[in-house]
Amino acid sequence: MLIKPYVSSSLKYCKNNISKERAFTLIEVLVTIVVIGIAATSIMSVFISTVKTSADPLIQQQAVSIAEAYMEEIQSQHFADPVAVETGGAEAGEARATYNDIQDYNGLSDTGAKDQNDVAIVGLTDYDITVTVTAQSLSGTTTIAAADSRRIDITVTHTVIDPIVLSGFRTNH
């Protein structure tokens, strides 16, 4: 008579479960690593390009503020020279601190932003500013002749942004 070894039913249950479990194969692990690597690379490239250009809006806003400051300074001046005959630019002996009419600013070119006394503003030396003042007629409900109207164009440039151009008009009122 053969004696069959006794195997408990709980042991049988464990054996069956172990044989049905499934693990990841080496190929599945490698494919997962490759997919995660590709995704991480693309996310990092977007992140790097965003970080690289994150200063551009600040530089652009500073350029706009510089142009607005120059425009405010120019438009606060007389339309025509109150002292001398108008030459269409700065008269002999005039420096920016003594400009007294808008046409004195025609041809102004600053390397680095400067205040109205021609003193460089710390931290804004990488900007270049040019000003042109031209006679231009205005038409609409009322026509204003070119002799009584000036167009003021201020261009601010920086190496990392496109030039900012701010234009305004001043009439002889």
Side-chain angles (χ1 to χ4, degrees), residues 155-173:
T155 305
V156 181
T157 58
H158 191 281
T159 55
V160 298
I161 60 169
D162 292 332
I164 301 291
V165 179
L166 182 64
S167 298
F169 288 89
R170 173 72 194 278
T171 59
N172 189 10
H173 52 28

Side-chain angles (χ1 to χ4, degrees), residues 12-31:
K12 216 186 254 187
Y13 179 72
C14 284
K15 234 180 184 183
N16 288 341
N17 272 348
I18 290 173
S19 65
K20 287 184 181 182
E21 283 185 24
R22 191 175 154 164
F24 290 110
T25 64
L26 181 60
I27 293 174
E28 290 172 329
V29 170
L30 290 176
V31 168

Side-chain angles (χ1 to χ4, degrees), residues 2-3 61 68 86 102-103 120 144 150 153:
L2 262 182
I3 299 177
Q61 184 57 44
E68 289 173 343
E86 187 56 62
I102 61 172
Q103 294 179 66
I144 300 173
R150 299 287 180 268
D153 292 313

